[in-house]
Amino acid sequence: MTETRTQLRTPLDAQDKRLLAALQRDAHLTAQDLGALLNLSPSQAGRRRQRLEAEGYIRSYAARLDARRVGLTVQAFVQVSMQSHSPEGAKSFARLVETRPEVISAWTLTGEADYLLRVYCQDLSALNSLIHEVLLPHPSVARVQSQIVMDQFKADAPLPT
């Protein structure tokens, strides 16, 4: 029997949690910086970071852009209800969503809506096009409901560690 990647993970200790919290605040921290924060040598801190990367705790490093500065002035949450719940329809809808750069995240849900999409668009016209020319014409989609974000008073936060 082959062990899965999750079975190979080492439980997180307090140092690992502090390291992960620090990297979520600033992914540019060097092994030297992490060592100073954790009271470890740079090589120990670097090895911990490498282990957490290898075990899948750290999935990637990315820059967070300012949506308005790059011309994306409308953020919305779009709820999608499906006509049918066939596996083929779900796969087809997932493929459609994956091709759309405006959709930055998507979730399957319990309750009235089947999917929740978080989207960023240049303007209301672009949001309207996404809904009426892309999502609603999909053969499995029954209904789409959108909520436009007026203000985001808490930015996407790091995960609690």
Side-chain angles (χ1 to χ4, degrees), residues 7-23:
Q7 291 171 323
L8 297 175
R9 289 187 180 153
T10 307
L12 295 175
D13 63 18
Q15 293 281 54
D16 290 335
K17 291 177 181 180
R18 289 179 56 215
L19 184 145
L20 292 172
L23 288 175

Side-chain angles (χ1 to χ4, degrees), residues 47-62:
R47 282 193 301 274
R48 275 184 183 264
R49 177 188 221 160
Q50 288 175 335
R51 178 180 53 79
L52 293 169
E53 290 169 349
E55 292 178 358
Y57 288 102
I58 300 170
R59 294 187 350 206
S60 67
Y61 296 94

Side-chain angles (χ1 to χ4, degrees), residues 28-43 45-46 49:
H28 291 289
L29 292 174
T30 64
Q32 183 87 24
D33 298 331
L34 288 169
L37 282 170
L38 301 173
N39 295 320
L40 297 172
S41 71
S43 60
R49 177 188 221 160

Side-chain angles (χ1 to χ4, degrees), residues 14 36 46 49 57 69 81 88 108 110 132 161:
R49 177 188 221 160
Y57 288 102
R69 301 270 304 189
S81 300
E88 300 81 26
T108 57
T110 62
H132 289 87
T161 55

Side-chain angles (χ1 to χ4, degrees), residues 46-120:
R47 282 193 301 274
R48 275 184 183 264
R49 177 188 221 160
Q50 288 175 335
R51 178 180 53 79
L52 293 169
E53 290 169 349
E55 292 178 358
Y57 288 102
I58 300 170
R59 294 187 350 206
S60 67
Y61 296 94
R64 290 188 182 190
L65 304 182
D66 183 302
R68 290 194 181 280
R69 301 270 304 189
V70 296
L72 301 170
T73 62
V74 175
Q75 178 183 187
F77 290 92
V78 179
Q79 295 178 359
V80 179
S81 300
M82 305 301 272
Q83 289 183 29
S84 72
H85 294 89
S86 71
E88 300 81 26
K91 287 177 187 172
S92 173
F93 183 73
R95 281 192 302 271
L96 171 68
V97 167
E98 289 171 3
T99 68
R100 302 306 303 192
E102 309 95 324
V103 180
I104 65 157
S105 51
W107 301 270
T108 57
L109 304 173
T110 62
E112 193 172 322
D114 298 302
Y115 298 96
L116 178 64
L117 312 178
R118 183 176 180 194
V119 303
Y120 277 91

